[in-house]
Amino acid sequence: YLKISKLALAFAIIHSKPPGKSSKEYIEYLAKTVSKQDFGWKWKVEVLEAEVLRLRQELLLNRISPRFCLENRKQNTSAETLLGRESINPTSYSSQLEDSGCDVCNDSAFESLGIASDFHRTEHNVNTSKHWLERVPPLNLCHTSKEESLTAPVQFLQRLLEIRKLSEGGILQADFSELENDSFTICNSVSQLLDGLAIFYNSPKFPAPGFLTEGVCVLISLITDTKLSNHVLKKCFKKMEEFKKNLIQIILRNRSVNRFQALHSVSQTLGLLGRNNILRNSLISLLLSEVHQFAEQLLQAHQVQSVYDINQYENIFLLCMILEQLLQNETQESNISSSDCGGEEKLKFLKNLDQIILHLSDEFPLFSLYLWRVSVLLNSGQMQ
């Protein structure tokens, strides 16, 4: 029956084709018309889904703190946020991306953007730092471009952080247990933020757009907030893991000529994510796995005198730098050995590492040195 129906449709199309057009041209025309109609329906569905999410976000904020939403309606403008810019310095961030980025192999490169150092400094000086007041635009999810779509989850999460700051200062009463009752809204918002950041890291623009820096700022503030981070990570841990894996692959697979400034900004985000205790161990495991896998591939290529991927060799140093920094932070902040970091991946990394370093040290001295430095940090507990 299906074959007969298809054959009948084909004959109908052939008999109804307009004069001057071949059957092939007419079929292509009909296919384009149908695809345009499908695209229109998909666009309408996306707009409606965005509107539903916007309403759910406003409802969730109203449940957490009705007074906050009421005051916003009376003012007819968005409330002042105490979130500020202290976690990331947008000026230094964008200005660095305008540079060629050729000095990123420096040992101090992890701090060169000023992001990590500024963030670490303000963690301990929140009471003395000057809060920047910023107007948050009204929630709006119905955007037409990918650039604008990133601002939608940022606006919602900014307001959530704003309520958190105001409630901490005793200005507002807030019930964050409502986040447990509406996991869809928080998960969807965080997922949109992570997907938006990944899109721009895959195709970076220079200088970095302000909303990209703002998105990173909101993400880091979320995972470092003492009350909100538990809610967010509990519901979005898998998405966070996917995001970290995606950033690592962006670093490894990039082959553009002047790629270092873009990859360095990605490495900064990974480093900042690693400041969260929950995310740090899993990130260390991922980095150990990638570095160890590349070391084995490089050793195999060296032994049989085959060609190796020079681009990946250059990119691997960024992962080594992040890994070393995270292991150093783990030891310094906890004041204990980092021997438990990485778990099973640590054992795989250290297995036969001395032999790998021995065989690669003559041909690849810098990479061998990084492997040795990481192994020292992993074994620091045994050396104390």
Side-chain angles (χ1 to χ4, degrees), residues 307-318:
V307 179
Y308 64 93
D309 190 338
I310 185 62
N311 292 302
Q312 195 170 13
Y313 177 76
E314 294 174 346
N315 296 339
I316 201 69
F317 285 100
L318 281 175

Side-chain angles (χ1 to χ4, degrees), residues 159-316:
R159 291 196 170 194
L160 197 61
L161 287 163
E162 179 184 353
I163 294 176
R164 170 75 178 93
K165 292 288 184 180
L166 295 175
S167 63
E168 187 180 35
I171 301 175
L172 281 177
Q173 290 184 350
D175 181 14
F176 288 98
S177 63
E178 289 292 336
L179 293 176
E180 297 284 352
N181 302 325
D182 192 356
S183 59
F184 171 83
T185 301
I186 188 70
C187 285
N188 203 298
S189 301
V190 174
S191 295
Q192 282 188 349
L193 174 59
L194 296 178
D195 290 340
L197 291 175
I199 289 173
F200 284 99
Y201 280 137
N202 268 302
S203 303
K205 296 181 179 180
F206 303 105
F211 56 82
L212 181 60
T213 306
E214 195 171 13
V216 176
C217 174
V218 169
L219 177 62
I220 301 306
S221 298
L222 270 178
I223 66 173
T224 53
D225 189 279
T226 54
K227 283 189 176 181
L228 294 180
S229 61
N230 291 333
H231 294 286
V232 172
L233 292 178
K234 183 165 60 175
K235 297 175 176 63
C236 309
F237 184 76
K238 289 185 179 180
K239 189 68 179 181
M240 285 285 190
E241 291 298 292
E242 293 175 5
F243 180 64
K244 290 187 296 184
K245 292 178 182 179
N246 195 3
L247 294 187
I248 290 175
Q249 292 306 313
I250 288 174
I251 292 177
L252 286 176
R253 296 176 180 177
N254 197 306
R255 297 175 179 274
S256 60
V257 177
N258 192 19
R259 63 187 178 275
F260 297 106
Q261 57 185 138
L263 295 186
H264 191 50
S265 64
V266 179
S267 70
Q268 293 297 316
T269 302
L270 277 172
L272 292 174
L273 290 174
R275 292 187 178 276
N276 182 277
N277 293 331
I278 299 177
L279 299 177
R280 180 183 302 159
N281 284 341
S282 63
L283 179 55
I284 289 175
S285 295
L286 290 173
L287 293 171
L288 285 173
S289 176
E290 292 293 344
V291 174
H292 180 255
Q293 182 179 352
F294 178 80
E296 289 187 331
Q297 292 174 354
L298 187 62
L299 176 61
Q300 184 178 2
H302 176 63
Q303 289 175 338
V304 299
Q305 296 297 309
S306 63
V307 179
Y308 64 93
D309 190 338
I310 185 62
N311 292 302
Q312 195 170 13
Y313 177 76
E314 294 174 346
N315 296 339
I316 201 69

Side-chain angles (χ1 to χ4, degrees), residues 77 87 120 146 216 230 245 247 276 316 323 333 346:
T77 58
S87 60
H120 183 69
K146 291 181 179 180
V216 176
N230 291 333
K245 292 178 182 179
L247 294 187
N276 182 277
I316 201 69
L323 181 57
E333 293 177 10
K346 174 202 166 182

Side-chain angles (χ1 to χ4, degrees), residues 352-370:
N352 299 328
L353 184 64
D354 291 339
Q355 291 297 321
I356 294 177
I357 294 176
L358 179 63
H359 287 89
L360 294 180
S361 57
D362 290 338
E363 189 74 20
F364 308 98
L366 183 58
F367 181 60
S368 301
L369 177 61
Y370 266 108

